[in-house]
Amino acid sequence: MTPEKQPKVVQKLLLRTLLLVIVLGGILIAIQRSREKDVSRNEKADTVGWISAIEYKADGTEAVAIKPDMTIQRATGWQSGSQDRDLAWAPNGNFLFFISDRTDKTFHVYRWNPQKTDAEIRTIGSRGRSSPSFKLHQEADDLSMLLMSGGLVMEFDPSERLQTQILPPTGREVTVGGEGDESGAQSQFTAIYGQIGNSFRVARWCGNDDHIAAIMRRDDGEVLVIQNMTPNADGAFQIPQLIAAGERIELDVSQKNGDVVYTVVDFDFPGPPPPQFVKNGKVIKPFKNYLGVWSKDQPLPPPIVASPDDKNAFGSPAIHPSGDTVIIVVGPYKDGAIARQGLYTFPVQPNSGAAGKPFAKGEIYEPSWDPTGKQLVFARGEGENRTIYTVSSDGGSARNVTSKGRFGFPRFSPQTK
């Protein structure tokens, strides 16, 4: 007796099911192989007292690590014309991450154990990335980071090499594949953020790692927004808080309490100006440049310190590990930049400008504290050189770490003894 043939519809369903099983199996194998190949993810390194920095060369920029004995460690693979940038230490200090176009002229994420000479490329595809950063309180073996990619904020896992869109929030998670192509439902937040700015420049976790502070570019400058990343019981997110706007905004986040300290050059209202600042149809701005603070308990307090004109502008905020004070670059605003004249410290409290104290003089760039708060590192312009110095928190004699050359963005390893 000849068995009955299956209907064509059933045959097609079986074929589709078989293909789906094969595809899913391939994906699982690929993920497993990716994990197996990432043999260095659990490497350890002793980087206590090490300083990462960018070295400016005549034909590009290179990520370097400076040992406590002041010798410079470099990773192989840098070529003339390559642009390394955006350094970020892993929270455990075992790796230094940076962005570079040294492989295929696309800006990828690299992971480097600075006690070795090999830097591993961790991203794939043709879409550039920038500004990696980590959570304030992160498990030692969890190195997921925030990244800017395609004008959006992504969460990226360098071991799995997968990234997910996180800002603007979406109706559901949007997973990005190997080529950086996005899929998934777009939410109302796409339109909301589209009214705020054009693209994201920087994003940092803040609060209790449940908020994100992000700087967005817009046609007439930049705007700082804070997004609560905890959805309500219905799965809906709150709309972002508009914190500040201006020609240039810079920020730092307190490791102690998650507060955000930020500087604004050429202040503007981030939204429609309050009625009390509009007189006879003209907007009256309360100040020109200022230093502000955001916290979950008091989102929009008065400025820490403000300037009515461009005689004093503020930049490069760096919060002390205690969370109590912030150090900033101060100088007049000229020709689209701060003419840097020195460093000042201020209490992280509204209206505390009178308590500000000078810390160091000179053409100083990118100050940053060591994890204990006992030392500060910064770059200082000295003629054709830009030298890295360290100095104790009590303002003692500065130590020259790089005797010559041009360097910037120095950062201590987060490891402590």
Side-chain angles (χ1 to χ4, degrees):
M1 181 175 181
T2 304
E4 294 183 5
K5 292 184 178 181
Q6 294 178 330
K8 290 185 178 181
V9 173
V10 176
Q11 293 178 3
K12 289 182 179 180
L13 288 174
L14 289 173
L15 181 59
R16 290 175 180 174
T17 302
L18 179 60
L19 290 173
L20 179 60
V21 170
I22 293 173
V23 169
L24 290 175
I27 292 173
L28 291 174
I29 292 173
I31 292 174
Q32 183 62 33
R33 287 180 176 175
S34 174
R35 288 175 175 171
E36 291 173 355
K37 290 180 180 179
D38 188 14
V39 294
S40 63
R41 62 185 296 181
N42 295 319
E43 281 185 356
K44 305 296 182 183
D46 180 6
T47 62
V48 175
W50 287 50
I51 298 170
S52 64
I54 292 292
E55 181 176 8
Y56 299 99
K57 299 185 172 185
D59 52 354
T61 56
E62 183 179 7
V64 299
I66 305 167
K67 300 178 183 179
D69 63 4
M70 296 188 295
T71 59
I72 295 178
Q73 181 82 330
R74 302 176 188 273
T76 57
W78 189 88
Q79 305 175 41
S80 177
S82 295
Q83 300 289 331
D84 295 352
R85 65 189 193 192
D86 299 354
L87 303 168
W89 283 101
N92 54 25
N94 292 328
F95 293 105
L96 180 62
F97 287 83
F98 61 92
I99 303 294
S100 179
D101 64 350
R102 57 172 62 187
T103 296
D104 58 4
K105 302 305 178 184
T106 297
F107 285 102
H108 287 288
V109 175
Y110 285 78
R111 184 179 65 189
W112 177 29
N113 177 340
Q115 287 191 310
K116 298 185 177 181
T117 58
D118 295 328
E120 307 170 280
I121 186 171
R122 299 311 302 166
T123 47
I124 55 179
S126 58
R127 177 163 288 181
R129 282 82 169 183
S130 64
S131 303
S133 65
F134 294 91
K135 286 185 176 180
L136 302 175
H137 311 100
Q138 193 154 327
E139 297 295 331
D141 57 351
D142 176 16
L143 295 182
S144 65
M145 63 179 70
L146 295 182
L147 279 179
M148 309 307 105
S149 180
L152 307 172
V153 181
M154 303 287 183
E155 191 164 28
F156 174 66
D157 183 333
S159 292
E160 303 294 347
R161 298 185 176 184
L162 293 175
Q163 62 185 35
T164 302
Q165 181 178 324
I166 194 166
L167 284 184
T170 58
R172 62 182 178 88
E173 287 190 338
V174 178
T175 300
V176 179
E179 294 301 318
D181 297 324
E182 294 152 10
S183 60
Q186 296 297 312
S187 75
Q188 61 176 330
F189 282 90
T190 301
I192 293 174
Y193 275 91
Q195 296 173 1
I196 298 172
N198 304 322
S199 62
F200 292 91
R201 181 172 67 83
V202 173
R204 298 277 302 275
W205 287 104
C206 60
N208 296 323
D209 287 335
D210 53 1
H211 288 66
I212 292 179
I215 298 173
M216 294 190 72
R217 300 182 181 94
R218 61 183 192 179
D219 293 340
D220 56 351
E222 298 182 331
V223 60
L224 172 63
V225 301
I226 305 287
Q227 176 67 60
N228 187 335
M229 298 305 299
T230 303
N232 62 22
D234 297 326
F237 291 93
Q238 299 177 25
I239 62 173
Q241 303 174 46
L242 299 181
I243 305 300
E247 182 176 327
R248 178 73 177 183
I249 298 175
E250 296 179 331
L251 64 81
D252 192 26
V253 179
S254 171
Q255 294 285 329
K256 178 75 179 245
N257 53 31
D259 289 354
V260 179
V261 174
Y262 57 93
T263 56
V264 179
V265 171
D266 194 9
F267 165 82
D268 194 6
F269 292 102
Q276 64 267 32
F277 294 104
V278 180
K279 295 182 180 180
N280 299 321
K282 183 179 180 180
V283 177
I284 307 299
K285 298 179 181 179
F287 32 71
K288 189 66 182 291
N289 309 299
Y290 78 104
L291 170 70
V293 59
W294 171 94
S295 67
K296 291 177 65 174
D297 298 330
Q298 195 176 10
L300 289 173
I304 295 173
V305 62
S307 172
D309 51 40
D310 283 335
K311 292 181 181 180
N312 286 294
F314 317 109
S316 303
I319 305 176
H320 191 272
S322 67
D324 297 331
T325 62
V326 59
I327 197 162
I328 59 172
V329 170
V330 178
Y333 191 66
K334 298 180 179 179
D335 302 323
I338 298 176
R340 300 161 184 266
Q341 295 181 341
L343 296 174
Y344 274 72
T345 61
F346 291 90
V348 182
Q349 298 174 5
N351 296 319
S352 63
K357 297 179 180 179
F359 185 87
K361 295 181 179 180
E363 183 188 331
I364 296 176
Y365 299 82
E366 299 109 22
S368 180
W369 296 100
D370 86 326
T372 68
K374 295 179 179 179
Q375 291 189 87
L376 185 78
V377 64
F378 56 83
R380 171 183 279 150
E382 298 176 333
E384 295 183 355
N385 292 328
R386 187 179 288 186
T387 309
I388 293 178
Y389 286 88
T390 60
V391 63
S392 64
S393 59
D394 60 9
S397 298
R399 178 191 184 211
N400 186 330
V401 177
T402 55
S403 59
K404 60 181 180 179
R406 291 181 59 79
F407 298 86
F409 299 96
R411 296 290 184 270
F412 274 105
S413 164
Q415 282 189 5
T416 58
K417 294 181 179 179

